[in-house]
Amino acid sequence: MDLKAEEPSWIRQILEKATYAEYHGLDAIAAEKQTGILSVTHGILTGYHWVWILALVYLVGQVLALLVSGDCLFGMLTGGVVESLRLDTAVTMSRHMAAGFSLWALGAFQFLGKRFRHGALAWIHRMSGRIFLLIWFFITGPTAAYLSLFTGTGALNAQFSTGLFAFISFDTTLLAYYYFWRGFRVALRRKRGAESMALHGQAMQAGILFTMTILVQRPFQLAFI
């Protein structure tokens, strides 16, 4: 018996769209490119290097805060409310930070190291991309989702504001998962050759930018908490 044929049609459609993203999603994601998220994020990571500089400043701030106070930058600034290593989530947060540093470093290499995309050195680009996805899918992404759902309120007891930002963090984590998975599937199948690879790059760029919403979110949290 064909188990796939026995599945309700709506379940089969969901499974096929998730598994064969390019067959069912290339046209949809290309349409989205014209009017949606991909049209907004296109070219930001390659054309605006200040985004990577801002990310670097954020990471340097985290390292300096750890050396000075033993806590994360915003944990120190908010009295233990935001991403503090003094909360019960300290172990998860430390793993998330370490993986996040590596993720952004690999992401910068993927988009700024153009000479490694073609020719004899292209294997470096492909290998670093696979490591990037493994880090996201198995470390950074899961810890981001966990920390969004189990965020602490700290000494200031800021339940409402931290709850709001937790919802936003979880939403952007899911969106990053979506674009990374779709970008991976499109590149894997390459149904439309160069057009597929261009679409792959745009989807990956959108995913990385969703991981970078923290650069905007944290200052707002600092203002409201």
Side-chain angles (χ1 to χ4, degrees):
M1 179 182 294
D2 187 353
L3 294 178
K4 188 173 183 180
E6 294 299 314
E7 294 172 351
S9 60
W10 63 273
I11 294 180
R12 188 163 58 251
Q13 290 175 8
I14 292 174
L15 291 174
E16 288 178 351
K17 287 181 180 180
T19 307
Y20 304 107
E22 192 165 5
Y23 283 147
H24 295 273
L26 183 59
D27 291 336
I29 205 171
E32 182 181 32
K33 175 177 63 177
Q34 303 301 323
T35 58
I37 290 174
L38 296 186
S39 65
V40 175
T41 60
H42 177 60
I44 292 180
L45 296 181
T46 54
Y48 300 92
H49 291 177
W50 60 265
V51 176
W52 292 113
I53 295 174
L54 183 61
L56 179 61
V57 170
Y58 175 80
L59 296 180
V60 170
Q62 292 280 40
V63 172
L64 292 176
L66 285 170
L67 293 175
V68 171
S69 67
D71 202 354
C72 302
L73 176 62
F74 285 91
M76 180 181 68
L77 295 177
T78 60
V81 177
V82 179
E83 64 178 33
S84 176
L85 294 179
R86 296 189 173 93
L87 298 173
D88 293 338
T89 55
V91 174
T92 304
M93 175 59 70
S94 62
R95 293 172 180 171
H96 177 73
M97 288 178 58
F101 285 14
S102 301
L103 190 82
W104 282 0
L106 288 169
F109 174 76
Q110 288 286 299
F111 282 95
L112 302 181
K114 295 182 179 180
R115 63 186 296 262
F116 293 95
R117 297 181 189 175
H118 308 285
L121 298 177
W123 67 271
I124 301 177
H125 177 82
R126 291 192 297 270
M127 185 60 66
S128 62
R130 291 166 185 167
I131 295 172
F132 174 96
L133 289 173
L134 286 173
I135 291 174
W136 170 259
F137 282 118
F138 294 104
I139 305 177
T140 315
T143 53
Y146 177 85
L147 291 169
S148 298
L149 295 174
F150 298 96
T151 182
T153 56
L156 299 183
N157 204 31
Q159 286 95 342
F160 176 78
S161 55
T162 53
L164 177 61
F165 286 111
F167 175 81
I168 296 172
S169 295
F170 190 70
D171 186 46
T172 55
T173 299
L174 293 180
L175 285 168
Y177 262 111
Y178 170 80
Y179 280 103
F180 285 146
W181 174 251
R182 294 293 289 274
F184 168 69
R185 292 300 301 175
V186 168
L188 189 64
R189 303 193 71 86
R190 301 189 190 185
K191 183 181 178 182
R192 303 192 183 184
E195 182 181 351
S196 293
M197 295 312 296
L199 189 57
H200 158 75
Q202 292 179 38
M204 296 300 290
Q205 184 169 206
I208 292 177
L209 285 171
F210 275 116
T211 71
M212 288 184 170
T213 55
I214 191 173
L215 300 176
V216 178
Q217 182 179 331
R218 287 296 185 253
F220 274 101
Q221 286 182 279
L222 186 61
F224 286 100
I225 293 176

